[in-house]
């Protein structure tokens, strides 16, 4: 079965056998994607106390789904989360609403972080933590 048939591309997008995409008639170039706000849109949470917020952030930092980001964030959480202020935890919560690879690339300076993210003090701590990791073998910290 062809790739075009698997993904239903075919005549609708003018896909050739070489899987090169031709833009629909009337488009001279790729359509522009509108700018999106930083982070994924989430429902507003009910107010939570500092202890509950710290436990939730710890869980979210350990269970991201991508190993590289899990290791980076879980080691950061074990070292820094107990001492973060409420405002820093709120910034961290906003940071965690981004895509895993974005967080990893921003923290390791592979790509430039958006100004909203790079201005967060907790993000600066995360970048310092990522820079200190070096070439040591990293494993998930115990709970």
């Amino acid at each position: 079965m062809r790739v075009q048939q698997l993904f239903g591309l075919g005549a609708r997008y003018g896909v050739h056998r070489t899987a090169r995409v031709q833009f629909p008639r009337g488009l001279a170039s790729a359509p522009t994607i509108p700018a999106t706000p930083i982070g994924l849109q989430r429902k507003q949470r009910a107010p939570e106390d500092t202890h509950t917020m710290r436990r939730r952030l710890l869980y979210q930092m350990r269970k991201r789904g991508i190993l590289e980001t899990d290791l980076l964030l879980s080691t950061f959480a074990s070292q820094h989360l107990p001492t973060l202020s409420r405002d820093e935890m709120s910034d961290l919560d906003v940071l965690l609403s981004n895509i895993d690879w974005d967080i990893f690339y921003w923290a390791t300076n592979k790509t430039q972080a958006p100004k909203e993210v790079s201005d967060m003090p907790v993000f600066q701590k995360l970048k310092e933590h990522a820079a200190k990791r070096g070439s040591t073998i990293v494993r998930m910290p115990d709970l």
Side-chain angles (χ1 to χ4, degrees):
M1 184 175 281
R2 290 183 173 165
V3 172
Q4 294 90 342
Q5 292 170 334
L6 284 173
F7 295 107
L9 298 174
R12 181 173 178 198
Y13 291 102
V15 176
H16 293 288
R17 290 183 192 175
T18 59
R20 291 186 180 172
V21 176
Q22 288 183 341
F23 300 108
R25 291 183 186 156
L27 288 179
S29 63
T32 57
I33 299 171
T36 57
I38 300 300
L40 303 173
Q41 300 299 320
R42 291 199 231 176
K43 292 180 181 177
Q44 187 67 29
R45 283 194 177 85
E48 58 189 356
D49 62 281
T50 304
H51 178 69
T52 305
M53 184 179 199
R54 190 168 277 125
R55 290 181 63 193
R56 178 179 55 78
L57 290 173
L58 176 64
Y59 180 81
Q60 288 179 336
M61 292 173 83
R62 289 181 60 89
K63 305 293 183 185
R64 299 295 295 184
I66 296 176
L67 180 61
E68 292 85 348
T69 310
D70 287 347
L71 290 172
L72 175 66
L73 293 177
S74 65
T75 55
F76 177 79
S78 69
Q79 293 177 11
H80 297 280
L81 192 58
T83 60
L84 292 180
S85 68
R86 178 81 179 183
D87 290 337
E88 288 176 320
M89 287 193 299
S90 295
D91 285 346
L92 183 59
D93 196 17
V94 171
L95 178 64
L96 293 178
S97 68
N98 288 285
I99 298 170
D100 291 355
W101 281 119
D102 287 344
I103 296 170
F104 182 78
Y105 288 140
W106 294 339
T108 56
N109 286 325
K110 302 290 183 204
T111 59
Q112 181 68 33
K115 183 161 179 44
E116 297 87 358
V117 173
S118 61
D119 288 345
M120 295 177 182
V122 73
F123 179 69
Q124 296 305 319
K125 289 181 181 181
L126 179 62
K127 282 178 65 171
E128 291 170 14
H129 176 76
K132 289 180 190 174
R133 281 189 22 203
S135 61
T136 60
I137 296 174
V138 180
R139 71 174 195 84
M140 285 279 219
D142 296 328
L143 283 176

